[in-house]
């Protein structure tokens, strides 16, 4: 049960380890010579309810995965669904324009309340900002555009999950 005084989410060790590995993923795994503040990965903590926290992880190669505070996950869909790869790549490729609006960080606290935390992974370090859904100021077009792009990735992940569920029902022996 989360501590109501701090609005923190109850999390498993598996979730914390996976989230930490994603946030600290090295740029050297990609065969690209990134510029200093060019984004190669995006990690977004998305509170879904008072007890459910989801972390979406996307990389420049189109990989997109979801991790849940209870230790569950949805991974590997990028290997099956091209539209997901395109959405995830597009999100990461366009994230660099958000870097100047972020602050560099070495702290990766879980979000409080329903605030979404965004981490942008670059060669020169990790940058962060926050989003309160429905309250993105008009004078922050970069954040608005980024929010739309990551909602597209979430929609593609959900669509992929529904396709996987339908396929599992069609082939129950697998």
């Amino acid at each position: 049960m989360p501590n109501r005084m701090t609005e923190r989410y109850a999390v498993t060790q598996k979730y914390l380890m996976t989230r930490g590995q994603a946030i600290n993923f090295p740029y050297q795994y990609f065969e690209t010579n990134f510029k200093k503040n060019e984004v190669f990965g995006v990690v977004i903590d998305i509170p879904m309810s008072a007890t459910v926290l989801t972390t979406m992880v996307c990389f420049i190669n189109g990989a997109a995965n979801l991790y849940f505070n209870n230790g569950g996950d949805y991974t590997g869909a990028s290997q099956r669904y091209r539209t997901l790869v395109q959405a995830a790549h597009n999100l990461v490729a366009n994230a660099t324009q958000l870097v100047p609006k972020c602050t560099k960080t070495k702290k990766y606290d879980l979000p409080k309340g329903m605030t979404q935390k965004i981490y942008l992974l670059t060669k020169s370090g990790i940058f962060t900002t926050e989003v309160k859904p429905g309250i993105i100021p008009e004078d922050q077009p970069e954040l608005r555009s980024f929010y739309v792009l990551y909602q597209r990735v979430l929609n593609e992940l959900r669509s992929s999950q529904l396709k996987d569920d339908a396929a599992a029902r069609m082939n129950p022996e697998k």
Side-chain angles (χ1 to χ4, degrees):
M1 186 81 185
N3 179 342
R4 297 284 178 211
M5 298 297 289
T6 62
E7 297 180 288
R8 301 276 182 199
Y9 294 85
V11 295
T12 64
Q13 185 68 26
K14 177 184 175 190
Y15 169 80
L16 289 175
M17 299 272 300
T18 305
R19 179 179 175 271
Q21 288 171 337
I23 289 172
N24 292 293
F25 198 83
Y27 68 89
Q28 294 92 338
Y29 279 92
F30 301 100
E31 294 180 7
T32 303
N33 189 14
F34 295 102
K35 294 178 183 143
K36 189 172 112 172
N37 287 338
E38 185 178 357
V39 176
F40 69 87
V42 173
V43 176
I44 307 173
D45 293 329
I46 307 167
M48 305 301 265
S49 71
T51 58
V52 179
L53 176 62
T54 302
T55 296
M56 181 175 73
V57 177
C58 299
F59 291 106
I60 194 68
N61 65 354
N65 298 310
L66 293 174
Y67 302 99
F68 303 97
N69 61 311
N70 68 359
D73 60 33
Y74 179 65
T75 62
S78 297
Q79 297 170 355
R80 296 182 296 281
Y81 302 106
R82 181 122 181 92
T83 55
L84 174 58
V85 170
Q86 291 168 336
H89 173 78
N90 196 27
L91 169 70
V92 178
N94 285 283
T96 299
Q97 65 184 326
L98 188 59
V99 171
K101 305 287 184 183
C102 297
T103 56
K104 200 166 186 179
T105 189
K106 291 188 180 200
K107 294 177 79 178
Y108 316 112
D109 296 334
L110 294 175
K112 292 182 180 181
M114 296 306 286
T115 300
Q116 300 177 1
K117 291 193 122 192
I118 299 168
Y119 298 98
L120 304 178
L121 315 180
T122 73
K123 189 174 180 179
S124 67
I126 299 164
F127 293 82
T128 188
T129 191
E130 294 182 345
V131 173
K132 293 184 183 190
I135 314 175
I136 302 173
E138 295 282 336
D139 65 347
Q140 295 185 17
E142 299 90 351
L143 191 56
R144 286 179 162 276
S145 297
F146 184 81
Y147 183 77
V148 168
L149 290 173
Y150 83 74
Q151 291 301 313
R152 284 189 189 145
V153 175
L154 283 172
N155 287 336
E156 287 298 331
L157 281 161
R158 183 65 183 139
S159 175
S160 299
Q161 196 173 32
L162 291 171
K163 290 174 189 173
D164 287 348
D165 289 348
R169 283 193 300 278
M170 296 296 285
N171 299 312
E173 66 277 351
K174 284 191 177 182

